[in-house]
């Protein structure tokens, strides 16, 4: 597979940025160049030299999706538009790589396997689940279901570092448990599935290691950053008390990694990647 046969969508997002770094010779577009909700533009695009679509485009504002406007946009970007890509993929014999989320589940089972039935709690989760269903109709598809993505962009680790540097000792929720997924790991997994020609389908992909709560992860961030800030623990209910328009979140986000491991892929420990990430952020 040649870089020039790859088309990255949502190229300016956290994952899109990391994909572009891995495949510098690829075609790429973000919403300004190709808005995936614009069916006519998607269909009119010259797909003849594309063998792989890496769809990193998404509406990822989980709370924003709860508003009447956000609900419409979330469904359009996360559910309807992957349908346009699926049609293009089938018509042009393209492999479609798409990204799913632990938010398609209610967070009761632990860990979540690829075979668990959808049970989304939020508009965002519902729209992503619908996107998974439509992408699954393409014979050549990989859906990577991931959680708690950390890369170049606004994310939890950056927020914690920023708060700490401003002298804040944050209150962080202690009842949502999962593992971070660094975009480097996600990109490695995508590359592995494509280059090993693994069986098409859905694969859970996060970093490996011990699942922890957001408050425990915040402490890990401060530990690697050698900051003495403290973290107070609050429940999700306490954290959002009095706020409106907040999406319900799954409490258990850990993904079962057995299926991707069985293809020969070994996800790194999230603490190892966190240490590297924090070091780079502070450099
Ligand atoms: P980002 O929000 O960082 O990136 C998404 C990108 O898609 C942005 O550049 C965005 O542009 C672009 N985009 C939005 N609408 C359109 C459109 N209509 N046409 C083209 N591009 C568009 O997301 P991440 O990189 O963090 O997420 C990548 C994938 O991983 C998504 O599928 C997401 O659902 C999934 N995921 C993310 C998690 C996380 O913690 N972030 C957790 C689990 C799964 P703009 O910014 O201008 O809107």
């Amino acid at each position: 597979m040649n870089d020039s046969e790859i088309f990255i969508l949502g190229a300016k997002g956290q994952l899109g940025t990391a994909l572009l770094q891995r495949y510098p010779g690829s075609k790429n577009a973000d919403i300004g160049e190709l808005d995936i909700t614009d069916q006519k533009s998607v269909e009119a695009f010259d797909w003849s030299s594309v063998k792989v679509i890496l769809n990193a485009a998404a509406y990822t504002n989980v709370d924003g999706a709860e508003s009447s406007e956000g609900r419409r946009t979330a469904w359009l970007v996360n559910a309807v538009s992957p349908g346009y890509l699926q049609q293009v993929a089938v018509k042009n014999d393209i492999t479609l790589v798409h990204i799913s989320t632990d938010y398609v589940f209610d967070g009761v089972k632990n860990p979540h396997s690829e075979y668990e039935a959808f049970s989304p709690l939020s508009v965002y989760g519902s729209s992503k689940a619908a996107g998974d269903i439509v992408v699954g109709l393409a014979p050549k598809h990989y859906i990577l279901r991931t959680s708690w993505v950390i890369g170049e962009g606004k994310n939890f680790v950056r927020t914690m570092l920023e708060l700490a540097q401003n002298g804040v000792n944050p209150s962080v929720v202690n009842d949502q448990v999962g593992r971070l997924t660094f975009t480097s790991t996600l990109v490695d997994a995508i590359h592995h599935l494509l280059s090993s020609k693994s069986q098409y389908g859905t694969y859970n992909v996060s970093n490996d290691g011990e699942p922890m709560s957001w408050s425990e992860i915040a402490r890990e961030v401060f530990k690697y950053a050698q900051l003495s800030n403290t973290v107070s623990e609050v429940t999700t209910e306490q954290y959002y008390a009095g706020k409106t328009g907040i999406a319900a979140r799954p409490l258990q986000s850990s993904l079962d990694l057995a299926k991707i491991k069985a293809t020969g892929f070994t996800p790194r420990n999230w603490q190892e990647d966190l240490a590297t990430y924090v070091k780079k952020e502070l450099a």
Side-chain angles (χ1 to χ4, degrees):
M1 183 183 53
N2 195 304
D3 275 21
S4 63
E5 296 168 333
I6 296 173
F7 191 13
I8 301 169
L9 295 168
K12 289 186 181 154
Q14 287 201 97
L15 176 60
T17 301
L19 284 167
L20 195 51
Q21 279 163 10
R22 170 60 72 94
Y23 302 115
S26 62
K27 297 177 184 60
N28 65 85
D30 203 88
I31 190 164
E33 298 80 43
L34 183 60
D35 179 344
I36 61 166
T37 68
D38 182 349
Q39 186 175 14
K40 283 205 177 90
S41 297
V42 171
E43 284 172 358
F45 188 82
D46 178 9
W47 296 99
S48 56
S49 60
V50 178
K51 293 236 164 70
V52 177
I53 294 173
L54 302 179
N55 181 28
Y59 180 88
T60 56
N61 184 346
V62 175
D63 295 323
E66 298 292 315
S67 71
S68 51
E69 193 53 38
R71 179 179 302 127
R72 242 179 287 281
T73 310
W75 272 86
L76 193 55
V77 179
N78 295 342
V80 177
S81 305
Y84 305 151
L85 301 177
Q86 180 263 336
Q87 284 169 12
V88 157
V90 172
K91 201 167 156 197
N92 297 278
D93 194 31
I94 293 170
T95 297
L96 178 56
V97 179
H98 183 73
I99 313 299
S100 178
T101 165
D102 54 298
Y103 278 43
V104 299
F105 302 126
D106 60 7
V108 172
K109 290 207 165 135
N110 178 26
H112 299 290
S113 88
E114 288 84 350
Y115 309 102
E116 184 177 336
F118 293 138
S119 53
L121 298 171
S122 62
V123 173
Y124 168 74
S126 306
S127 69
K128 291 293 290 182
D132 289 7
I133 293 168
V134 76
V135 168
L137 298 174
K140 295 183 178 178
H141 76 271
Y142 292 113
I143 296 172
L144 286 84
R145 182 163 296 130
T146 191
S147 63
W148 301 9
V149 173
I150 307 292
E152 299 297 321
K154 189 175 152 41
N155 63 57
F156 180 80
V157 177
R158 284 191 170 170
T159 302
M160 288 303 119
L161 287 175
E162 207 178 296
L163 287 172
Q165 281 160 346
N166 290 329
V168 177
N169 293 314
S171 296
V172 184
V173 298
N174 63 4
D175 54 357
Q176 292 173 37
V177 175
R179 297 190 196 98
L180 299 181
T181 307
F182 288 85
T183 48
S184 51
T185 292
L186 209 42
V187 170
D188 286 349
I190 290 170
H191 189 76
H192 166 80
L193 289 172
L194 288 168
S195 55
S196 65
K197 297 189 169 45
S198 294
Q199 197 178 2
Y200 294 114
T202 299
Y203 292 86
N204 288 340
V205 179
S206 70
N207 277 81
D208 207 348
E210 191 192 338
M212 287 193 196
S213 69
W214 284 120
S215 53
E216 289 170 312
I217 293 173
R219 287 197 190 98
E220 292 294 300
V221 172
F222 296 162
K223 183 180 88 185
Y224 291 121
Q226 297 185 316
L227 292 164
S228 56
N229 299 64
T230 56
V231 176
S232 307
E233 302 201 1
V234 287
T235 63
T236 302
E237 204 182 328
Q238 287 166 334
Y239 185 77
Y240 289 118
K243 293 183 186 143
T244 54
I246 301 297
R249 285 149 164 84
L251 293 185
Q252 186 47 256
S253 289
S254 310
L255 300 170
D256 183 347
L257 300 173
K259 187 175 173 190
I260 186 89
K261 284 182 183 172
T263 68
F265 182 73
T266 308
R268 282 184 300 278
N269 186 297
W270 65 264
Q271 284 163 293
E272 189 186 321
D273 273 7
L274 177 61
T276 311
Y277 184 89
V278 167
K279 202 169 158 193
K280 225 167 110 189
E281 286 296 298
L282 298 179

